[in-house]
Amino acid sequence: MSGLQLSALDVAFLCLESETTPMHMGAVVTFRPQGQVHARELTTLLAERAARLPKLRQRPRTALFPPGAAIWAEDPDFVASEHISHHHLSSLYEPDPLSAYASRWMGRPLDTGKPLWDLHLVTGLPDGEFALLLKLHHALTDGAGAYAVAVGLLDEMPRPTRRTHSGATPPPPRSPVDAVKEAVGSTLTQAGIASSVVRATRSPLSPISAPPSTERRLGLVRLDTAEIRRIRRAHGGTANDVVLAILSGALREWMINRGQRADDRTLRALIPVSVRGRSAEQLGGNKLSGYLCELPVGLDDPRARLLAVQREMGRNKAAGPARGAGAFPLLADRMPPMLHRLGSKAAGLAAPLLFDLVVTTVPVPPNRLTLNGTKVSGVYPFVPLAPRQAVGIAVATYRDSVHIGLQANGAAVSDVGSLRDGVLKSAARLLDTA
Protein backbone atom coordinates (compact mmCIF):
# COMPACT_ATOMS: atom_id res chain seq x y z
CA MET A 1 0.00 0.00 0.00
CA SER A 2 2.96 2.33 0.56
CA GLY A 3 3.23 4.89 -2.24
CA LEU A 4 -0.34 4.26 -3.35
CA GLN A 5 -2.14 7.45 -4.33
CA LEU A 6 -5.29 8.44 -2.46
CA SER A 7 -8.37 8.65 -4.63
CA ALA A 8 -9.99 12.05 -5.09
CA LEU A 9 -12.79 10.96 -2.72
CA ASP A 10 -10.22 9.95 -0.08
CA VAL A 11 -8.61 13.39 -0.40
CA ALA A 12 -12.05 14.99 0.02
CA PHE A 13 -12.55 13.16 3.33
CA LEU A 14 -9.15 14.41 4.52
CA CYS A 15 -10.01 17.98 3.51
CA LEU A 16 -13.33 17.87 5.39
CA GLU A 17 -11.49 17.08 8.64
CA SER A 18 -11.75 19.73 11.37
CA GLU A 19 -11.96 19.94 15.14
CA THR A 20 -15.77 20.07 14.98
CA THR A 21 -16.08 17.66 12.03
CA PRO A 22 -13.79 14.69 12.70
CA MET A 23 -14.10 12.41 9.68
CA HIS A 24 -13.46 9.07 11.32
CA MET A 25 -15.72 6.05 11.42
CA GLY A 26 -16.04 4.14 14.66
CA ALA A 27 -17.11 0.82 16.09
CA VAL A 28 -17.85 -0.38 19.60
CA VAL A 29 -17.37 -4.16 19.77
CA THR A 30 -18.52 -5.81 22.99
CA PHE A 31 -17.42 -9.11 24.54
CA ARG A 32 -18.86 -11.28 27.30
CA PRO A 33 -15.96 -13.29 28.78
CA GLN A 34 -16.40 -16.43 30.84
CA GLY A 35 -13.58 -15.60 33.24
CA GLN A 36 -11.14 -12.87 34.23
CA VAL A 37 -10.04 -10.32 31.62
CA HIS A 38 -6.26 -9.95 31.28
CA ALA A 39 -5.94 -6.46 29.83
CA ARG A 40 -2.17 -6.48 29.34
CA GLU A 41 -2.33 -9.77 27.45
CA LEU A 42 -5.09 -8.44 25.18
CA THR A 43 -3.37 -5.13 24.38
CA THR A 44 -0.13 -6.96 23.57
CA LEU A 45 -2.00 -9.34 21.27
CA LEU A 46 -3.81 -6.45 19.54
CA ALA A 47 -0.53 -4.57 19.00
CA GLU A 48 1.06 -7.63 17.42
CA ARG A 49 -1.85 -8.06 15.03
CA ALA A 50 -2.08 -4.36 14.18
CA ALA A 51 1.62 -4.28 13.29
CA ARG A 52 0.98 -6.96 10.64
CA LEU A 53 -1.72 -4.92 8.86
CA PRO A 54 -0.08 -2.71 6.18
CA LYS A 55 -3.02 -0.29 6.13
CA LEU A 56 -2.43 0.59 9.78
CA ARG A 57 1.24 1.46 9.26
CA GLN A 58 0.57 4.17 6.65
CA ARG A 59 0.05 7.90 6.97
CA PRO A 60 -1.04 10.37 4.25
CA ARG A 61 1.58 12.60 2.63
CA THR A 62 1.21 15.35 0.03
CA ALA A 63 2.23 14.33 -3.49
CA LEU A 64 3.94 16.57 -6.03
CA PHE A 65 1.70 15.52 -8.91
CA PRO A 66 -1.10 15.88 -9.72
CA PRO A 67 -1.60 19.14 -7.76
CA GLY A 68 -3.40 18.58 -4.49
CA ALA A 69 -2.91 14.80 -4.52
CA ALA A 70 -1.69 12.68 -1.62
CA ILE A 71 -0.08 9.28 -1.22
CA TRP A 72 0.12 6.70 1.54
CA ALA A 73 3.62 6.52 3.04
CA GLU A 74 5.07 4.10 5.58
CA ASP A 75 5.44 5.82 8.96
CA PRO A 76 9.12 5.34 9.93
CA ASP A 77 8.27 5.91 13.60
CA PHE A 78 5.30 3.55 13.70
CA VAL A 79 4.76 1.68 16.96
CA ALA A 80 1.43 -0.12 17.07
CA SER A 81 1.17 -0.01 20.86
CA GLU A 82 1.11 3.82 20.77
CA HIS A 83 -2.28 3.64 19.04
CA ILE A 84 -3.73 1.25 21.63
CA SER A 85 -4.93 2.23 25.12
CA HIS A 86 -6.53 0.42 28.04
CA HIS A 87 -9.10 2.11 30.25
CA HIS A 88 -10.84 0.57 33.24
CA LEU A 89 -14.18 2.19 33.99
CA SER A 90 -16.32 2.28 37.10
CA SER A 91 -20.05 1.74 36.66
CA LEU A 92 -20.84 3.55 39.93
CA TYR A 93 -21.34 7.03 38.51
CA GLU A 94 -22.77 6.53 35.02
CA PRO A 95 -26.08 4.90 34.07
CA ASP A 96 -24.47 3.77 30.78
CA PRO A 97 -20.69 3.96 31.32
CA LEU A 98 -19.69 2.50 27.94
CA SER A 99 -21.77 5.00 25.91
CA ALA A 100 -20.55 7.88 28.07
CA TYR A 101 -16.90 6.94 27.62
CA ALA A 102 -17.31 6.18 23.91
CA SER A 103 -18.97 9.59 23.38
CA ARG A 104 -15.91 11.42 24.74
CA TRP A 105 -13.60 9.16 22.72
CA MET A 106 -15.53 9.64 19.47
CA GLY A 107 -15.38 13.44 19.69
CA ARG A 108 -11.57 13.54 19.65
CA PRO A 109 -10.12 13.90 16.10
CA LEU A 110 -7.31 11.67 14.88
CA ASP A 111 -3.86 13.15 14.28
CA THR A 112 -3.62 13.33 10.47
CA GLY A 113 0.18 13.44 10.72
CA LYS A 114 0.18 9.84 11.98
CA PRO A 115 -1.44 6.57 10.88
CA LEU A 116 -5.16 7.29 10.96
CA TRP A 117 -6.50 4.89 13.58
CA ASP A 118 -7.01 4.52 17.31
CA LEU A 119 -8.01 1.53 19.46
CA HIS A 120 -9.15 1.45 23.07
CA LEU A 121 -9.70 -1.61 25.25
CA VAL A 122 -12.34 -0.76 27.85
CA THR A 123 -12.81 -2.98 30.92
CA GLY A 124 -14.81 -2.60 34.11
CA LEU A 125 -18.18 -2.76 32.37
CA PRO A 126 -21.28 -4.26 34.05
CA ASP A 127 -21.46 -8.07 34.23
CA GLY A 128 -17.72 -8.37 33.59
CA GLU A 129 -17.99 -7.37 29.91
CA PHE A 130 -15.26 -5.54 28.04
CA ALA A 131 -15.23 -3.65 24.73
CA LEU A 132 -12.97 -2.63 21.87
CA LEU A 133 -13.42 0.89 20.52
CA LEU A 134 -11.93 1.30 17.03
CA LYS A 135 -11.58 4.54 15.06
CA LEU A 136 -10.54 4.62 11.38
CA HIS A 137 -10.42 7.78 9.29
CA HIS A 138 -12.82 7.76 6.36
CA ALA A 139 -9.90 8.63 4.04
CA LEU A 140 -8.39 5.27 4.94
CA THR A 141 -11.33 3.10 3.92
CA ASP A 142 -15.10 2.74 3.68
CA GLY A 143 -17.34 0.51 5.81
CA ALA A 144 -16.48 -2.71 3.98
CA GLY A 145 -12.75 -2.02 4.30
CA ALA A 146 -13.18 -1.12 7.96
CA TYR A 147 -14.67 -4.54 8.62
CA ALA A 148 -11.62 -6.15 6.97
CA VAL A 149 -9.32 -4.19 9.32
CA ALA A 150 -11.36 -5.15 12.38
CA VAL A 151 -11.28 -8.83 11.42
CA GLY A 152 -7.49 -8.60 11.14
CA LEU A 153 -7.37 -7.63 14.82
CA LEU A 154 -9.60 -10.51 15.93
CA ASP A 155 -8.88 -14.23 15.94
CA GLU A 156 -8.41 -15.77 12.52
CA MET A 157 -11.53 -17.29 11.04
CA PRO A 158 -11.47 -20.58 9.12
CA ARG A 159 -11.17 -19.88 5.39
CA PRO A 160 -13.73 -21.56 3.14
CA THR A 161 -12.21 -23.76 0.47
CA ARG A 162 -12.71 -22.50 -3.05
CA ARG A 163 -12.85 -24.58 -6.17
CA THR A 164 -10.32 -23.67 -8.79
CA HIS A 165 -11.39 -23.54 -12.41
CA SER A 166 -8.74 -24.51 -14.91
CA GLY A 167 -8.80 -23.46 -18.52
CA ALA A 168 -11.00 -20.40 -17.93
CA THR A 169 -11.17 -18.13 -20.95
CA PRO A 170 -9.83 -14.63 -20.18
CA PRO A 171 -12.05 -11.70 -21.18
CA PRO A 172 -11.28 -10.28 -24.65
CA PRO A 173 -9.24 -7.06 -24.72
CA ARG A 174 -11.16 -3.83 -25.13
CA SER A 175 -11.16 -2.29 -28.57
CA PRO A 176 -10.45 1.44 -29.09
CA VAL A 177 -14.12 1.91 -29.92
CA ASP A 178 -15.13 0.35 -26.57
CA ALA A 179 -12.70 2.66 -24.74
CA VAL A 180 -14.19 5.73 -26.42
CA LYS A 181 -17.72 4.57 -25.63
CA GLU A 182 -16.75 4.07 -21.97
CA ALA A 183 -15.20 7.55 -21.75
CA VAL A 184 -18.25 9.19 -23.34
CA GLY A 185 -20.59 7.23 -21.06
CA SER A 186 -18.60 8.28 -17.99
CA THR A 187 -18.79 11.95 -19.00
CA LEU A 188 -22.53 11.76 -19.56
CA THR A 189 -22.97 9.99 -16.19
CA GLN A 190 -21.04 12.73 -14.38
CA ALA A 191 -23.09 15.43 -16.08
CA GLY A 192 -26.29 13.64 -15.11
CA ILE A 193 -25.23 13.34 -11.46
CA ALA A 194 -24.23 17.02 -11.31
CA SER A 195 -27.58 18.06 -12.78
CA SER A 196 -29.44 15.85 -10.27
CA VAL A 197 -27.52 17.37 -7.35
CA VAL A 198 -28.49 20.88 -8.43
CA ARG A 199 -32.16 19.91 -8.76
CA ALA A 200 -32.16 18.13 -5.38
CA THR A 201 -30.73 21.09 -3.44
CA ARG A 202 -33.33 22.46 -1.02
CA SER A 203 -34.05 25.68 0.78
CA PRO A 204 -34.37 26.38 3.67
CA LEU A 205 -31.84 24.32 5.57
CA SER A 206 -32.52 20.95 7.15
CA PRO A 207 -35.01 21.04 10.05
CA ILE A 208 -32.48 19.13 12.14
CA SER A 209 -29.37 21.15 11.26
CA ALA A 210 -26.91 21.73 14.10
CA PRO A 211 -24.24 24.26 15.09
CA PRO A 212 -20.56 23.23 15.04
CA SER A 213 -19.56 21.28 18.15
CA THR A 214 -16.69 19.16 19.38
CA GLU A 215 -19.07 17.18 21.62
CA ARG A 216 -20.62 13.90 20.60
CA ARG A 217 -23.35 11.72 22.11
CA LEU A 218 -23.47 8.01 21.26
CA GLY A 219 -26.32 5.56 21.67
CA LEU A 220 -26.25 1.77 21.32
CA VAL A 221 -29.44 -0.03 20.26
CA ARG A 222 -29.99 -3.76 19.71
CA LEU A 223 -32.93 -5.26 17.79
CA ASP A 224 -33.80 -8.93 17.34
CA THR A 225 -33.33 -10.20 13.77
CA ALA A 226 -36.15 -12.71 14.34
CA GLU A 227 -38.52 -9.78 14.85
CA ILE A 228 -37.24 -8.08 11.69
CA ARG A 229 -37.91 -11.30 9.75
CA ARG A 230 -41.41 -11.52 11.24
CA ILE A 231 -42.19 -8.00 10.01
CA ARG A 232 -40.83 -8.85 6.56
CA ARG A 233 -43.00 -11.95 6.33
CA ALA A 234 -46.07 -9.87 7.17
CA HIS A 235 -45.41 -6.81 5.01
CA GLY A 236 -42.75 -7.74 2.43
CA GLY A 237 -39.74 -5.66 1.49
CA THR A 238 -36.17 -6.13 2.62
CA ALA A 239 -34.63 -6.17 6.08
CA ASN A 240 -33.08 -2.80 5.24
CA ASP A 241 -36.54 -1.41 4.40
CA VAL A 242 -37.82 -2.57 7.79
CA VAL A 243 -34.90 -0.93 9.62
CA LEU A 244 -35.36 2.34 7.72
CA ALA A 245 -39.07 2.33 8.59
CA ILE A 246 -38.21 1.75 12.27
CA LEU A 247 -35.70 4.60 12.18
CA SER A 248 -38.29 6.85 10.52
CA GLY A 249 -40.66 6.25 13.42
CA ALA A 250 -37.89 6.94 15.94
CA LEU A 251 -36.91 10.18 14.21
CA ARG A 252 -40.56 11.25 14.16
CA GLU A 253 -40.91 10.79 17.92
CA TRP A 254 -37.52 12.43 18.52
CA MET A 255 -38.53 15.51 16.50
CA ILE A 256 -41.85 15.80 18.34
CA ASN A 257 -40.06 15.54 21.69
CA ARG A 258 -37.79 18.40 20.54
CA GLY A 259 -40.84 20.57 19.84
CA GLN A 260 -40.46 20.28 16.06
CA ARG A 261 -43.27 19.66 13.58
CA ALA A 262 -43.09 16.18 12.08
CA ASP A 263 -46.47 15.83 10.33
CA ASP A 264 -46.51 16.20 6.53
CA ARG A 265 -42.72 16.21 6.47
CA THR A 266 -39.89 13.93 5.40
CA LEU A 267 -36.25 13.76 6.40
CA ARG A 268 -33.88 13.05 3.54
CA ALA A 269 -31.30 10.36 4.33
CA LEU A 270 -28.13 9.71 2.39
CA ILE A 271 -27.82 5.93 2.09
CA PRO A 272 -24.21 5.09 1.09
CA VAL A 273 -23.89 2.25 -1.42
CA SER A 274 -20.65 0.30 -1.88
CA VAL A 275 -19.51 -0.05 -5.50
CA ARG A 276 -16.46 -2.01 -4.42
CA GLY A 277 -15.46 -4.86 -6.71
CA ARG A 278 -14.41 -8.29 -5.56
CA SER A 279 -10.76 -8.08 -6.62
CA ALA A 280 -8.09 -7.99 -3.90
CA GLU A 281 -6.51 -4.80 -5.18
CA GLN A 282 -9.69 -2.89 -4.32
CA LEU A 283 -9.57 -3.52 -0.58
CA GLY A 284 -8.25 -0.04 0.26
CA GLY A 285 -9.80 3.42 -0.03
CA ASN A 286 -13.41 4.39 -0.61
CA LYS A 287 -15.57 2.87 -3.33
CA LEU A 288 -18.88 4.61 -2.71
CA SER A 289 -22.02 5.90 -4.32
CA GLY A 290 -25.34 6.53 -2.61
CA TYR A 291 -29.11 6.91 -2.66
CA LEU A 292 -31.18 9.79 -1.31
CA CYS A 293 -34.18 8.37 0.53
CA GLU A 294 -37.05 10.46 1.89
CA LEU A 295 -37.79 9.02 5.33
CA PRO A 296 -41.55 9.37 6.01
CA VAL A 297 -41.39 10.91 9.48
CA GLY A 298 -44.69 12.68 8.77
CA LEU A 299 -46.66 9.41 8.87
CA ASP A 300 -47.87 8.15 12.24
CA ASP A 301 -49.01 4.71 10.98
CA PRO A 302 -46.01 2.32 11.14
CA ARG A 303 -47.33 0.21 8.23
CA ALA A 304 -47.72 3.31 6.07
CA ARG A 305 -44.15 4.28 6.90
CA LEU A 306 -42.87 0.87 5.82
CA LEU A 307 -44.78 0.99 2.53
CA ALA A 308 -43.46 4.49 1.84
CA VAL A 309 -39.89 3.34 2.47
CA GLN A 310 -40.38 0.33 0.20
CA ARG A 311 -41.59 2.57 -2.64
CA GLU A 312 -38.77 5.07 -2.14
CA MET A 313 -36.01 2.46 -2.02
CA GLY A 314 -37.59 0.61 -4.94
CA ARG A 315 -37.27 3.75 -7.07
CA ASN A 316 -33.66 4.20 -6.00
CA LYS A 317 -32.70 0.62 -6.79
CA ALA A 318 -34.47 0.73 -10.17
CA ALA A 319 -32.38 3.78 -11.12
CA GLY A 320 -29.18 2.18 -9.80
CA PRO A 321 -26.28 3.58 -7.73
CA ALA A 322 -24.71 5.46 -10.67
CA ARG A 323 -27.62 7.85 -11.20
CA GLY A 324 -29.34 10.56 -9.22
CA ALA A 325 -28.19 13.12 -6.68
CA GLY A 326 -27.24 10.44 -4.15
CA ALA A 327 -24.44 9.32 -6.49
CA PHE A 328 -22.45 12.51 -5.79
CA PRO A 329 -19.58 10.48 -4.21
CA LEU A 330 -18.93 9.08 -7.71
CA LEU A 331 -18.77 12.63 -9.04
CA ALA A 332 -16.44 13.69 -6.22
CA ASP A 333 -14.14 10.76 -6.95
CA ARG A 334 -13.64 11.99 -10.54
CA MET A 335 -12.75 15.57 -9.63
CA PRO A 336 -9.13 16.80 -9.54
CA PRO A 337 -7.74 16.57 -5.98
CA MET A 338 -6.90 20.29 -5.99
CA LEU A 339 -10.60 21.13 -6.27
CA HIS A 340 -11.18 19.23 -3.03
CA ARG A 341 -8.30 21.09 -1.38
CA LEU A 342 -9.90 24.39 -2.36
CA GLY A 343 -13.60 23.67 -2.01
CA SER A 344 -14.30 20.73 0.30
CA LYS A 345 -14.95 22.89 3.37
CA ALA A 346 -17.56 24.97 1.54
CA ALA A 347 -19.12 21.87 -0.03
CA GLY A 348 -19.30 20.21 3.38
CA LEU A 349 -21.13 23.18 4.88
CA ALA A 350 -23.69 22.85 2.09
CA ALA A 351 -24.48 19.22 3.02
CA PRO A 352 -27.74 20.13 4.87
CA LEU A 353 -29.05 21.59 1.61
CA LEU A 354 -28.90 18.12 0.06
CA PHE A 355 -29.60 15.67 2.91
CA ASP A 356 -30.55 15.72 6.61
CA LEU A 357 -28.61 12.73 7.92
CA VAL A 358 -26.61 9.68 6.88
CA VAL A 359 -27.96 6.16 7.44
CA THR A 360 -25.41 3.52 6.50
CA THR A 361 -25.26 -0.26 6.72
CA VAL A 362 -21.92 -1.90 7.52
CA PRO A 363 -21.52 -5.47 6.20
CA VAL A 364 -20.69 -8.02 8.90
CA PRO A 365 -20.67 -11.68 7.77
CA PRO A 366 -22.30 -14.15 10.18
CA ASN A 367 -19.05 -15.93 11.14
CA ARG A 368 -18.56 -16.26 14.88
CA LEU A 369 -15.99 -13.58 15.82
CA THR A 370 -13.67 -13.96 18.82
CA LEU A 371 -10.71 -12.23 20.46
CA ASN A 372 -8.28 -14.52 22.25
CA GLY A 373 -11.10 -17.07 22.39
CA THR A 374 -13.72 -14.71 23.84
CA LYS A 375 -16.84 -14.39 21.69
CA VAL A 376 -18.04 -11.06 20.31
CA SER A 377 -21.47 -10.21 21.74
CA GLY A 378 -22.20 -6.96 19.85
CA VAL A 379 -20.93 -4.85 16.92
CA TYR A 380 -22.09 -1.21 16.95
CA PRO A 381 -20.80 0.92 14.03
CA PHE A 382 -20.72 4.74 13.87
CA VAL A 383 -20.68 7.01 10.84
CA PRO A 384 -19.06 10.48 10.91
CA LEU A 385 -21.36 13.48 11.16
CA ALA A 386 -21.42 15.76 8.14
CA PRO A 387 -20.97 19.48 8.94
CA ARG A 388 -24.02 21.12 10.55
CA GLN A 389 -25.88 17.83 10.93
CA ALA A 390 -27.35 16.66 14.21
CA VAL A 391 -27.53 12.88 13.82
CA GLY A 392 -25.82 10.03 11.95
CA ILE A 393 -26.93 6.40 12.10
CA ALA A 394 -25.03 3.18 11.26
CA VAL A 395 -26.45 -0.35 11.23
CA ALA A 396 -24.75 -3.76 11.40
CA THR A 397 -26.41 -7.18 11.57
CA TYR A 398 -24.36 -9.73 13.49
CA ARG A 399 -25.58 -13.22 14.40
CA ASP A 400 -29.10 -12.86 15.89
CA SER A 401 -29.16 -9.08 16.39
CA VAL A 402 -29.32 -5.84 14.46
CA HIS A 403 -26.92 -3.39 16.11
CA ILE A 404 -27.56 0.33 15.62
CA GLY A 405 -25.01 3.01 16.44
CA LEU A 406 -26.44 6.51 16.97
CA GLN A 407 -24.08 9.48 16.86
CA ALA A 408 -25.41 12.94 17.71
CA ASN A 409 -23.96 16.45 17.75
CA GLY A 410 -23.64 17.35 21.44
CA ALA A 411 -24.62 20.99 20.92
CA ALA A 412 -27.90 20.00 19.24
CA VAL A 413 -28.74 16.83 21.20
CA SER A 414 -28.14 16.96 24.94
CA ASP A 415 -29.37 13.40 25.48
CA VAL A 416 -29.40 10.74 22.77
CA GLY A 417 -31.53 8.53 25.03
CA SER A 418 -34.75 9.93 23.56
CA LEU A 419 -33.73 8.78 20.09
CA ARG A 420 -32.49 5.43 21.39
CA ASP A 421 -35.79 4.80 23.18
CA GLY A 422 -37.64 5.93 20.06
CA VAL A 423 -35.98 3.18 18.03
CA LEU A 424 -37.18 0.51 20.47
CA LYS A 425 -40.72 1.93 20.60
CA SER A 426 -40.92 2.25 16.82
CA ALA A 427 -39.76 -1.35 16.38
CA ALA A 428 -42.37 -2.55 18.90
CA ARG A 429 -45.17 -0.68 17.12
CA LEU A 430 -44.24 -2.10 13.74
CA LEU A 431 -43.91 -5.59 15.21
CA ASP A 432 -47.45 -5.30 16.64
CA THR A 433 -48.79 -4.88 13.11
CA ALA A 434 -47.24 -8.20 12.12
Side-chain angles (χ1 to χ4, degrees), residues 318-332:
R323 297 178 60 186
F328 68 86
L330 293 178
L331 184 63

Side-chain angles (χ1 to χ4, degrees), residues 5-257:
Q5 185 170 306
L6 278 72
S7 71
L9 185 57
D10 298 340
V11 172
F13 284 128
L14 272 183
C15 294
L16 283 169
E17 176 79 18
S18 73
E19 186 178 1
T20 57
T21 311
M23 291 304 296
H24 51 252
M25 301 175 290
V28 172
V29 184
T30 58
F31 300 80
R32 190 173 294 115
Q34 297 299 315
Q36 185 177 359
V37 178
H38 300 283
R40 185 183 296 275
E41 179 182 345
L42 288 178
T43 55
T44 300
L45 178 64
L46 290 165
E48 291 173 353
R49 291 176 176 176
R52 295 198 295 264
L53 297 176
K55 188 186 291 286
L56 299 186
R57 300 196 298 266
Q58 313 296 320
R59 59 181 179 177
R61 284 291 177 263
T62 302
L64 295 178
F65 187 83
I71 61 171
W72 293 110
E74 188 89 13
D75 183 359
D77 301 319
F78 175 74
V79 178
S81 60
E82 294 180 356
H83 294 258
I84 301 174
S85 305
H86 168 232
H87 295 268
H88 186 83
L89 302 180
S90 169
S91 60
L92 298 177
Y93 307 108
E94 296 277 5
D96 188 355
L98 179 58
S99 294
Y101 179 83
S103 297
R104 297 188 293 270
W105 163 82
M106 181 62 79
R108 293 192 290 268
L110 293 165
D111 184 348
T112 55
K114 297 180 179 179
L116 298 175
W117 64 282
D118 180 59
L119 181 65
H120 285 207
L121 170 66
V122 179
T123 57
L125 299 177
D127 302 320
E129 289 196 349
F130 69 92
L132 289 184
L133 279 56
L134 175 64
K135 279 196 289 201
L136 295 169
H137 200 282
H138 216 326
L140 191 65
T141 189
D142 54 22
Y147 169 76
V149 171
V151 166
L153 297 172
L154 300 176
D155 297 341
E156 186 173 357
M157 294 183 295
R159 297 177 180 271
T161 57
R162 295 182 179 180
R163 295 181 180 178
T164 58
H165 299 275
S166 59
T169 304
R174 288 191 310 160
S175 69
V177 173
D178 290 336
V180 170
K181 286 182 179 179
E182 183 177 323
V184 171
S186 177
T187 301
L188 293 175
T189 297
Q190 293 176 56
I193 295 171
S195 175
S196 297
V197 169
V198 172
R199 292 196 303 270
T201 301
R202 309 162 300 171
S203 182
L205 284 176
S206 163
I208 58 170
S209 61
S213 174
T214 59
E215 290 186 80
R216 294 293 182 265
R217 302 279 187 271
L218 301 187
L220 314 178
V221 189
R222 185 193 298 256
L223 302 177
D224 191 334
T225 54
E227 296 179 351
I228 301 297
R229 287 194 294 268
R230 181 178 167 190
I231 295 169
R232 285 186 62 194
R233 286 195 297 269
H235 301 301
T238 67
N240 189 55
D241 293 340
V242 173
V243 172
L244 288 175
I246 290 171
L247 294 176
S248 299
L251 289 165
R252 171 185 170 83
E253 180 172 326
W254 175 68
M255 290 178 66
I256 293 172
N257 289 341

